[in-house]
Amino acid sequence: MLKFAGVVINNESSKVDRVFTYKIAETIVSSIKLGLRVKVPFGRGNRVVDGFIVELFENCENISNIKEIISICDDFTVISENDIKLITLMREKYMCTYLDCIKLIMPTGITRGMNQKVKNVVSLKCELSGKYHKDPYENIYTIVSDNDGIYTKSELSKKFNVSLSSINTLVKYGFLTYDVKIVDRFNERVYENYSERKLNVSQKSATQKIMNDKNNKFLIHGITGSGKTEIYMQLVSLMIDKGKEAIVLVPEIALTPQMIERFKGRFGKNIAVFHSRLSQGERYDEWLRVKSKKVKVAVGARSALFLPFSNLGIIIIDEEHELSYKSDVTPKYNAIDVAMMKADLEDCKLVLGSATPSIETYYKCENKEIELIELNERADGAKLPSATIVDMREELLNDNRSMFSGVLKQEITTVLEKKEQIILFINRRGHSTFVSCRKCGYVFKCEHCDIALTYHSDSKKLICHYCGSVKSLSATCPKCASKYVKYFGVGTEKIEHEVWKTFPDAKTIRMDYDTTRGKNSFEHIYNIFKNGDADILIGTQMVAKGLDFKNVTLVGVIAADLSLNLPDYRANERTFQLINQVSGRAGRGSKPGKVIIQTYDPSSSAIIAASENDYQGFYKEEIQMRKLMDYPPFKNILLINLSSKFESLLIKNIQNIGILLKDILQKCSNIKMLGPCPCSISKIKEMYRWQIILKGNFNSKFSNDIKKIVYDGIKNDYNNIRVNMDINPTSLL
């Protein structure tokens, strides 16, 4: 008989990041399960706190001081047995706490008593009689009869212009009553039917292989427009037929409207949607719908991976190369890696899809860890767009100082005349990259971060893209008082202004972080362009992937080399992926597409390979560079980032840690240490930043040993220094 439970306490401190043993009272032993949330006494004062049961056992060696579980919080488990196994794996791999992982899995707000939203609706109780058989009572009674159990009394009063007092009278004398109704806080919209498409030979072959192969991990490497989404939908349909459930991940919210539109159009409204733009209540309701088995499919961003499906058949991750699948907050997990763990734990299929797979994923295919499926033709027989690289240095020599080359300007004019659509892409929002004085060279920087401010013409303000601080632009230089203040660089706003000036009759819309902050703004912009109510869509990486607009025949890449010059080992890969993906937005319908790639570095191998849609050529060159430089997938990287408001204290501590690590690494010839040194952006939000990078063949145990050394090294200044550690980060900035 079970007598003891291992409980993880709901406490943020890493000092209590372990499993505590509690007695199980006989009164609740029959209800105790793994994964339940319970109330327990904790600490010297026996403060009552939440805990999560992660172990159950019959015997315990020392039971003299063991406390007892007080009560069970919910009538359902918040984490499953497989979740507990996943939490253990993630805690080890990502150097985080039990609680960090539990918070990913349980619904937001549950520990604060969040429940389903309810309202008191008006319903019929008995027939009218006596003096109440007259207006206005008969009118109200008829309205309630037609809308029984739908509206509250205030909603009835406003919608049908009837008296609240009269409603109260009918309730008082028993003709009407109040019933509790659960309010659904999720998307109940009915979408236009998205009928099943007939698969071509390649799509059929891919579907059959995934369903029938003994392997459980697959990469669909399909060129843009090859019909990967239709394969996903067919796989989900087959899993539903087998009584299984499915999770479909998209990299960011910009892609969610289109994927929801297709999946709800195919499978009906009973699909859970899960992403960060939902309110806490909406997220809770979607979580509960999955938990109560009301839905079999979830579509969403990376957090949807942890929804509580009990019979999972498949996990699909679209655009698997996207950096947004890597969390930048603790726990700093990679959704691809976690999905691989989950596929093994749940004994389900994992399907990754991309036209430009990450180097790490494709390398796993070469090593047979993942089964590779290639799709080399567009699903409907359409041709890939033709691409032209324009050397912007020659444009300058020809006295063209516009941000549009002669070729791009001519193509835009032609496409507008044909009533077709255009996407203009630049991977930078705002009007100008930075503002400086042409006389003394002073650059307007953020007072809180070591970064140049970006000028936004809509607000006429300088904005920091790291801390969000806003500053008015001075007409004179703060350093030399000259009036030679000039904007440099280019952003989405500046392109928009240039389009207005050059093509005044074109209807233009912009999609970037600034225009998509509102709750439904992504979907609003998406629908405007989809419905043909705009001619030109200007955007950042949000427009580069997944979107399928049949009337887009021209894509212009304004500054292809922007991401090439970042001090990051992924810069080449990122550039290739962005150009290739955004190029794929052109010519997806019956009309041929063109891509104009503007660059100051036309000899870049990444840009050339992207223009030729040559993934294999790019991969071969990039994988050799990675091997030569000891970067993933050949070696691991551990980024140790320390930050503090006190610069001298920070430097002293990180240098001490550097000395401790050097002593240890003398015995590890296969591990290199870079630093300590300031980060590329040495200050953000008033916090100075320094880092150490470890590179080599090491495992999770080594990472956790290093973590202990780092925390021991700052124990005297723990409250003044923030530690951030990340395995194989997406960026080293």
Side-chain angles (χ1 to χ4, degrees):
M1 184 177 172
L2 295 172
K3 293 182 180 177
F4 303 96
V7 176
V8 171
I9 301 302
N10 185 17
N11 187 304
E12 301 282 353
S13 173
S14 57
K15 293 176 182 177
V16 295
D17 178 42
R18 61 186 179 88
V19 179
F20 292 88
T21 302
Y22 282 86
K23 288 180 191 173
I24 303 171
E26 287 186 19
T27 53
I28 62 170
V29 71
S30 61
S31 303
I32 285 291
K33 296 176 188 172
L34 280 173
L36 279 172
R37 185 169 64 102
V38 292
K39 294 287 184 186
V40 294
F42 185 71
R44 290 181 183 174
N46 286 328
R47 184 166 56 92
V48 178
V49 298
D50 283 349
F52 305 91
I53 296 178
V54 296
E55 293 176 17
L56 290 170
F57 40 92
E58 294 180 9
N59 301 306
C60 183
E61 290 182 7
N62 182 11
I63 62 171
S64 57
N65 295 316
I66 293 181
K67 299 171 185 178
E68 194 169 83
I69 292 172
I70 296 169
S71 62
I72 297 170
C73 296
D74 314 295
D75 57 3
F76 53 81
T77 56
V78 293
I79 47 178
S80 69
E81 288 189 44
N82 280 336
D83 287 336
I84 292 167
K85 293 173 186 174
L86 184 65
I87 285 164
T88 305
L89 292 171
M90 289 181 67
R91 177 176 175 263
E92 183 74 12
K93 183 175 179 67
Y94 298 112
M95 302 170 289
C96 58
T97 66
Y98 281 114
L99 190 61
D100 288 332
C101 298
I102 289 171
K103 282 183 171 181
L104 286 175
I105 293 167
M106 71 177 185
T108 307
I110 194 171
T111 54
R112 294 194 290 276
M114 178 171 284
N115 291 303
Q116 287 180 295
K117 186 177 178 180
V118 296
K119 66 179 182 179
N120 291 320
V121 294
V122 181
S123 299
L124 299 181
K125 190 172 182 184
C126 68
E127 290 188 13
L128 284 177
S129 62
K131 64 180 182 179
Y132 299 101
H133 234 308
K134 60 182 181 182
D135 277 342
Y137 301 123
E138 281 189 342
N139 181 39
I140 292 171
Y141 193 86
T142 303
I143 290 168
V144 174
S145 178
D146 293 340
N147 299 278
D148 195 29
I150 296 176
Y151 299 111
T152 65
K153 64 178 183 181
S154 60
E155 288 169 345
L156 280 171
S157 177
K158 287 176 185 174
K159 187 173 180 68
F160 299 100
N161 195 27
V162 295
S163 163
L164 270 176
S165 173
S166 298
I167 296 172
N168 288 332
T169 300
L170 291 176
V171 171
K172 181 179 178 181
Y173 291 101
F175 301 112
L176 300 178
T177 186
Y178 296 132
D179 288 331
V180 173
K181 180 184 178 183
I182 293 171
V183 179
D184 293 327
R185 293 170 292 190
F186 48 80
N187 183 357
E188 286 196 296
R189 180 174 145 199
V190 176
Y191 287 80
E192 182 183 336
N193 180 48
Y194 188 78
S195 57
E196 191 171 327
R197 271 55 170 170
K198 187 177 179 182
L199 300 184
N200 62 27
V201 174
S202 299
Q203 289 171 314
K204 273 185 188 173
S205 173
T207 304
Q208 288 167 359
K209 183 173 181 60
I210 291 165
M211 291 300 296
N212 301 326
D213 202 289
K214 64 180 180 180
N215 293 312
N216 73 332
K217 300 179 187 77
F218 303 87
L219 168 68
I220 301 176
H221 176 210
I223 63 169
T224 54
S226 57
K228 295 185 288 294
T229 302
E230 200 57 45
I231 294 173
Y232 303 156
M233 298 180 95
Q234 185 67 27
L235 290 168
V236 168
S237 183
L238 291 169
M239 286 296 174
I240 291 172
D241 290 345
K242 292 174 72 174
K244 298 275 190 177
E245 299 151 341
I247 294 172
V248 182
L249 299 189
V250 291
E252 53 184 289
I253 304 158
L255 295 189
T256 312
Q258 181 171 283
M259 201 64 92
I260 293 166
E261 187 179 278
R262 290 182 173 181
F263 270 82
K264 289 205 172 189
R266 175 75 54 87
F267 300 108
K269 64 181 181 180
N270 288 325
I271 289 176
V273 179
F274 209 74
H275 54 73
S276 60
R277 290 290 173 91
L278 299 180
S279 68
Q280 272 195 16
E282 288 169 329
R283 287 167 71 88
Y284 179 82
D285 283 4
E286 292 287 35
W287 185 91
L288 207 59
R289 285 211 301 157
V290 173
K291 183 73 176 173
S292 56
K293 305 185 190 305
K294 290 180 179 174
V295 293
K296 287 188 173 292
V297 184
V299 177
R302 66 172 183 259
S303 55
L305 183 60
F306 302 103
L307 285 168
F309 287 108
S310 58
N311 192 20
L312 197 58
I314 193 166
I315 301 168
I316 295 168
I317 304 184
D318 191 30
E319 309 289 4
E320 69 81 29
H321 64 278
E322 274 301 314
L323 301 184
S324 57
Y325 285 125
K326 177 79 158 71
S327 172
D328 56 3
V329 295
T330 304
K332 298 195 169 189
Y333 69 94
N334 186 321
I336 310 297
D337 293 339
V338 175
M340 292 181 77
M341 298 177 200
K342 198 172 173 75
D344 291 335
L345 288 170
E346 304 276 353
D347 191 24
C348 72
K349 302 277 187 182
L350 170 63
V351 177
L352 309 174
S354 177
T356 55
S358 71
I359 297 296
E360 289 88 343
T361 296
Y362 205 81
Y363 184 73
K364 284 176 181 170
C365 291
E366 287 194 328
N367 289 341
K368 307 302 179 188
E369 291 177 58
I370 298 174
E371 192 78 15
L372 177 65
I373 298 170
E374 301 265 14
L375 300 175
N376 297 316
E377 293 181 358
R378 286 192 157 178
D380 53 6
K383 299 295 182 186
L384 284 170
S386 60
T388 303
I389 297 174
V390 178
D391 187 344
M392 293 303 284
R393 296 171 300 182
E394 290 186 8
E395 295 291 315
L396 283 175
L397 290 173
N398 293 328
D399 204 31
N400 178 10
R401 302 190 180 277
S402 160
M403 61 183 65
F404 300 138
S405 62
V407 174
L408 180 57
K409 189 175 177 181
Q410 181 56 52
E411 290 295 343
I412 292 173
T413 303
T414 303
V415 169
L416 290 174
E417 286 171 355
K418 291 180 180 178
K419 305 295 183 188
E420 295 166 358
Q421 290 176 299
I422 300 150
I423 290 177
L424 297 178
F425 166 76
I426 184 166
N427 200 28
R428 183 168 282 151
R429 64 190 171 99
H431 183 276
S432 298
T433 314
F434 66 98
V435 180
S436 76
C437 172
R438 284 181 291 172
K439 185 175 181 183
C440 71
Y442 173 84
V443 175
F444 287 75
K445 285 193 170 186
C446 177
E447 295 171 0
H448 314 288
C449 311
D450 180 33
I451 196 77
L453 293 164
T454 302
Y455 178 65
H456 287 249
S457 62
D458 285 358
S459 60
K460 303 285 191 293
K461 300 287 186 184
L462 293 167
I463 299 176
C464 175
H465 285 180
Y466 281 83
C467 74
S469 65
V470 179
K471 185 178 181 180
S472 296
L473 177 62
S474 170
T476 57
C477 173
K479 186 176 179 183
C480 72
S482 83
K483 293 183 179 179
Y484 298 107
V485 173
K486 184 174 170 60
Y487 314 126
F488 290 88
V490 62
T492 46
E493 277 186 44
K494 196 167 184 178
I495 294 172
E496 188 175 38
H497 284 265
E498 190 79 6
V499 169
W500 290 342
K501 190 169 68 176
T502 313
F503 308 99
D505 296 329
K507 296 172 188 169
T508 307
I509 194 165
R510 181 160 54 91
M511 183 185 276
D512 57 23
Y513 180 76
D514 298 309
T515 63
T516 54
R517 292 185 188 184
K519 187 172 181 180
N520 298 311
S521 49
F522 284 96
E523 190 171 2
H524 177 65
I525 294 170
Y526 163 74
N527 283 325
I528 287 173
F529 199 64
K530 177 195 165 194
N531 296 333
D533 295 328
D535 304 308
I536 301 175
L537 173 63
I538 299 164
T540 56
Q541 57 184 317
M542 294 175 190
V543 304
K545 50 206 170 271
L547 299 174
D548 189 0
F549 300 116
K550 301 298 184 190
N551 199 36
V552 171
T553 57
L554 176 64
V555 167
V557 181
I558 300 301
D561 35 44
L562 273 182
S563 51
L564 269 181
N565 302 314
L566 295 174
D568 196 325
Y569 74 94
R570 294 181 194 270
N572 267 356
E573 179 184 15
R574 189 77 186 125
T575 301
F576 172 82
Q577 288 168 341
L578 281 169
I579 296 172
N580 188 282
Q581 290 282 335
V582 78
S583 297
R585 300 314 106 207
R588 295 176 76 90
S590 56
K591 304 165 187 171
K594 287 187 178 181
V595 182
I596 308 298
I597 303 167
Q598 298 184 166
T599 177
Y600 288 93
D601 188 5
S603 62
S604 160
S605 58
I607 291 174
I608 292 169
S611 71
E612 296 172 352
N613 196 44
D614 182 14
Y615 179 83
Q616 297 293 344
F618 172 75
Y619 173 80
K620 284 176 185 174
E621 186 172 317
E622 186 68 11
I623 201 74
Q624 287 175 356
M625 188 279 290
R626 296 279 185 97
K627 189 172 186 178
L628 186 68
M629 301 297 291
D630 286 341
Y631 283 126
F634 299 99
K635 300 287 174 72
N636 283 318
I637 291 175
L638 175 57
L639 176 64
I640 304 164
N641 185 305
L642 268 61
S643 57
S644 174
K645 289 186 177 180
F646 309 102
E647 187 175 20
S648 57
L649 185 73
L650 172 68
I651 294 170
K652 181 191 82 174
N653 275 274
I654 200 165
Q655 286 180 341
N656 288 341
I657 290 168
I659 292 166
L660 291 171
L661 293 179
K662 269 183 184 172
D663 289 343
I664 292 164
L665 296 177
Q666 282 178 350
K667 303 167 189 172
C668 308
S669 58
N670 64 334
I671 298 173
K672 297 174 186 173
M673 183 172 107
L674 307 174
C677 63
C679 299
S680 296
I681 301 171
S682 62
K683 189 171 76 165
I684 294 178
K685 296 181 183 177
E686 299 289 359
M687 301 285 280
Y688 294 95
R689 306 167 73 241
W690 277 59
Q691 67 184 20
I692 294 171
I693 296 171
L694 301 183
K695 210 164 46 163
N697 288 323
F698 54 81
N699 55 21
S700 296
K701 183 184 180 303
F702 174 85
S703 302
N704 282 283
D705 288 344
I706 295 298
K707 178 184 174 183
K708 188 175 185 305
I709 291 166
V710 171
Y711 275 95
D712 285 346
I714 64 161
K715 62 185 175 185
N716 295 328
D717 296 306
Y718 182 80
N719 293 329
N720 292 315
I721 294 178
R722 190 183 300 162
V723 176
N724 226 315
M725 297 179 69
D726 196 1
I727 287 286
N728 297 333
T730 55
S731 172
L732 298 176
L733 294 178

